[in-house]
Amino acid sequence: MNNIGYQTHYYFQIYGGMIFLKANTKEIMKMKSYNWAIVGPGRIAEDFCSEFPSEQTLYGVASSHDPNKAKQFAKKFNIKHTYQDYEDLLNDPQVDIVYVATTNNFHFDNIKHALTAGKHVFSEKPVTLNTSQLQELITISKEKHLILMEAQTIYHMPLYDKLTEFIRDQQLGQLKSIQVSFGMHIDKTQTKDRLLNPNLAGGALLDMGIYAISFARRFMTAAPKLVATQMVPTSTGVDDVSTYLLTNDNNELCTMNFNMLADMPTIGYVIYENGYFIIENYLRPENAVFINADTGGKQLIIAGKTDIAMGYEALDMAKAVETGDNDTLDWTVQTMNVMTQARKDWDFKYPNE
């Protein structure tokens, strides 16, 4: 686990003709520690626990089909409590927050049961398969005064808050265009691969595209709307290659492409009237380069650490539980709206929707 409760201060430094906006960090007062329980002890849950902040408590874990798997997971991460099944976990009054790390097709049921049991929920993306499922869960969470938050790194990396300040302070003018894509090579002969399996809600959109759409929403000043999309399916029926054009009420445009063909660099371009950002590794970025439109001058903006990205998520979730302010939920809803509309335009549904 990582100790990542920090307050960040920034300063300018000139080196080799480039202006660097760098960050100093210092530890701040720890917030309340909540008891977290893991549902779905797989690979993504391992990553989450490896980056989990020391200010919070990994309290329990359960597997839906193999209690021994939960015990092995608990031993690896020094988690004191294991359960026979999810129901047993949800009946534990000491559990404050449930982290849902199951495959996409199970998210809705897992989250609904946790909320109904009175637990706050932090779920891996996509939080649900479609907008109607998400709205049902939001209704339950509001009725029970609980936090439902999506584990989307783009909403929680410190760099994005720093870029928001930079955009405001430097008066960059109107956002004009965003270009962002995601590609990953998937062996199509392995038809049982989760990403190729429609029964597990596979495909490029929900697993890869959600990052790019969330990236666009992070900068757009109004909710994105899907203008056009095209998709080519795999032999299993899920989306293999797809393209998108988004806009919003402020005439901001975004073009994107997702595919399961090639491992592509994750680079986003955000273009304003007075310059543009290049953001590499936009899923978990530590830095961005701003290029001035008039002078061509470059500024390197640095904040946060890639290797504790999921720790930032956990701290923001704890803060939301403590304050009741769930600042990222609207972004989650608007991103889900785009993905739901895209699949509607393709006339594609998952078997268990």
Side-chain angles (χ1 to χ4, degrees):
M1 294 188 293
N2 294 276
N3 189 356
I4 61 169
Y6 294 107
Q7 183 175 12
T8 306
H9 300 277
Y10 300 86
Y11 62 95
F12 286 96
Q13 181 178 2
I14 300 177
Y15 180 78
M18 183 180 288
I19 301 176
F20 292 76
L21 181 59
K22 303 191 74 174
N24 279 334
T25 59
K26 66 177 182 179
E27 193 172 355
I28 61 173
M29 184 174 62
K30 296 176 182 178
M31 69 180 68
K32 178 180 177 181
S33 181
Y34 292 97
N35 288 336
W36 293 64
I38 311 294
V39 167
R43 180 190 59 79
I44 194 67
E46 289 196 5
D47 292 344
F48 181 76
C49 291
S50 296
E51 300 175 23
F52 195 76
S54 60
E55 292 89 340
Q56 299 297 304
T57 303
L58 286 174
Y59 178 84
V61 59
S63 171
S64 63
H65 59 280
D66 187 357
N68 287 328
K69 184 176 181 180
K71 291 178 181 178
Q72 293 169 2
F73 190 94
K75 182 177 180 181
K76 182 174 182 178
F77 293 102
N78 195 29
I79 300 173
K80 293 183 178 180
H81 301 273
T82 59
Y83 305 88
Q84 285 296 114
D85 53 32
Y86 294 165
E87 200 67 31
D88 193 22
L89 180 151
L90 295 177
N91 286 332
D92 186 342
Q94 297 303 313
V95 171
D96 299 311
I97 301 171
V98 173
Y99 169 61
V100 174
T102 52
T103 53
N104 299 344
N105 55 306
F106 290 119
H107 286 185
F108 174 74
D109 287 339
N110 293 155
I111 295 169
K112 185 174 182 178
H113 290 156
L115 291 173
T116 303
K119 310 300 185 184
H120 301 283
V121 177
F122 187 63
S123 174
E124 274 304 322
K125 53 80 193 161
V127 64
T128 57
L129 299 184
N130 56 52
T131 295
S132 62
Q133 288 184 345
L134 180 55
Q135 290 297 342
E136 181 177 344
L137 296 181
I138 290 173
T139 298
I140 296 172
S141 67
K142 289 183 176 179
E143 288 175 349
K144 290 184 169 291
H145 306 288
L146 296 168
I147 296 296
L148 169 61
M149 183 179 287
E150 184 177 49
Q152 172 56 268
T153 53
I154 289 169
Y155 296 159
H156 306 284
M157 290 300 292
L159 179 68
Y160 286 110
D161 285 338
K162 178 44 57 179
L163 293 181
T164 299
E165 295 175 17
F166 185 92
I167 293 163
R168 182 192 64 232
D169 296 344
Q170 300 299 314
Q171 299 181 344
L172 300 187
Q174 184 180 355
L175 173 63
K176 292 294 186 179
S177 177
I178 297 173
Q179 300 171 24
V180 60
S181 296
F182 199 131
M184 182 184 299
H185 175 68
I186 304 298
D187 184 355
K188 301 304 193 304
T189 65
Q190 303 298 318
T191 55
K192 293 184 179 180
D193 188 298
R194 178 181 65 84
L195 290 176
L196 298 175
N197 190 340
N199 292 313
L200 299 181
L205 175 59
L206 290 191
D207 263 273
M208 303 177 216
I210 188 171
Y211 285 108
I213 300 170
S214 298
F215 174 86
R217 183 61 194 97
R218 199 66 172 80
F219 290 95
M220 285 178 139
T221 60
K225 302 176 183 178
L226 184 66
V227 176
T229 179
Q230 291 287 329
M231 183 271 282
V232 177
T234 67
S235 61
T236 62
V238 301
D239 53 302
D240 190 15
V241 182
S242 53
T243 60
Y244 309 78
L245 173 63
L246 307 181
T247 188
N248 62 16
D249 291 342
N250 296 331
N251 295 317
E252 298 162 353
L253 298 178
C254 177
T255 57
M256 52 185 69
N257 167 283
F258 316 136
N259 71 79
M260 296 196 294
L261 302 174
D263 292 325
M264 296 171 56
T266 50
I267 303 175
Y269 299 87
V270 186
I271 300 99
Y272 288 83
E273 287 181 298
N274 299 321
Y276 65 95
F277 295 106
I278 302 174
I279 305 170
E280 297 187 22
N281 185 29
Y282 66 80
L283 284 68
R284 298 181 169 199
E286 293 183 355
N287 60 73
V289 175
F290 175 73
I291 301 177
N292 187 285
D294 294 327
T295 67
K298 298 179 180 180
Q299 292 174 252
L300 181 63
I301 304 165
I302 303 172
K305 296 176 65 177
T306 295
D307 59 1
I308 52 174
M310 301 178 87
Y312 294 124
E313 294 179 335
L315 286 179
D316 280 352
M317 176 63 182
K319 180 181 177 182
V321 171
E322 190 167 4
T323 65
D325 296 328
N326 192 357
D327 295 336
T328 66
L329 184 58
D330 285 345
W331 291 340
T332 293
V333 171
Q334 292 162 14
T335 296
M336 182 59 66
N337 288 345
V338 170
M339 296 193 297
T340 300
Q341 184 61 52
R343 291 197 297 113
K344 182 178 179 181
D345 290 355
W346 303 339
D347 193 25
F348 175 73
K349 286 187 176 182
Y350 292 107
N352 53 355
E353 274 187 282

